[in-house]
Amino acid sequence: MRTIAVYPGSFDPPTFGHLDIIDRSSRVFSRVIVSVALNIRKNVMFTPAERVALLGKLTRSYSNVEIDSFRGLLVNYARDKGAHVVVRGLRAISDFEYEFQMAHMNKKLAAEVDTVFMMTGERYSYISSNIVKEIAAFGGKIDDLVPALVRDQVLRKIRKGK
Ligand code: PNS
């Protein structure tokens, strides 16, 4: 059976943790649509177009992964794409409450869409986009947290902001 999965998120910026989930999802599902959420109430460093471009470059080697963006409800987007699976990464118990609420709410909105959780690889379980930006802003090294391409873009944004 061909299963289409959507992996939604802010990806501001994409981290090694996100790439780990993309890599593993690409082995489980026939097609993975990594989609940048446009209407999020967050302070973002990168424009949606920049995040889409970064993800595109980072996932170029996967033939069954594509990058997109969406506005509005995730379940409506998943329906439009013919996806019955939403992939989310779980790093720690602290992620659980929010993910639990979101998965149940999405199920209530669209019974045919299931959320599949993947435990983020142990070595990436402490990485978050917010921590990456904070460490970089204070001059810390982020080489182990994000690919070099992302590191350079984050540092460029920080230099521009100063
Ligand atoms: O990377 P994030 O910020 O944790 O991703 C959260 C995201 C974008 C997946 C979530 O906020 C979302 O799905 N937003 C779209 C709007 C929506 O469907 N909201 C209802 C979710 S119950």
Side-chain angles (χ1 to χ4, degrees), residues 8-10 37 40 42 70 72-74 88 98 102 105-106:
S10 310
I40 44 170
K42 279 186 179 178
F70 74 101
L73 283 182
L74 171 63
R88 293 286 290 169
Y98 171 58
M102 208 160 63
M105 190 50 76
N106 283 337

Side-chain angles (χ1 to χ4, degrees), residues 79-133:
R79 273 184 177 141
D80 284 350
K81 292 285 169 185
H84 293 277
V85 173
V86 167
V87 175
R88 293 286 290 169
L90 268 185
R91 289 166 302 191
I93 301 277
S94 50
D95 283 341
F96 184 75
E97 205 169 330
Y98 171 58
E99 295 297 337
F100 177 89
Q101 187 183 24
M102 208 160 63
H104 279 295
M105 190 50 76
N106 283 337
K107 191 78 185 156
K108 191 172 163 56
L109 293 168
E112 78 281 17
V113 178
D114 272 300
T115 303
V116 170
F117 293 105
M118 286 197 176
M119 295 303 294
T120 307
E122 212 181 344
R123 50 199 279 244
Y124 307 117
S125 60
Y126 60 94
I127 304 177
S128 77
S129 298
N130 284 339
I131 280 183
V132 166
K133 288 181 281 191

Side-chain angles (χ1 to χ4, degrees), residues 54-66:
L54 280 172
L55 284 164
K57 286 178 185 156
L58 296 168
T59 59
R60 203 180 275 160
S61 59
Y62 296 92
S63 58
N64 64 338
V65 172
E66 62 198 76

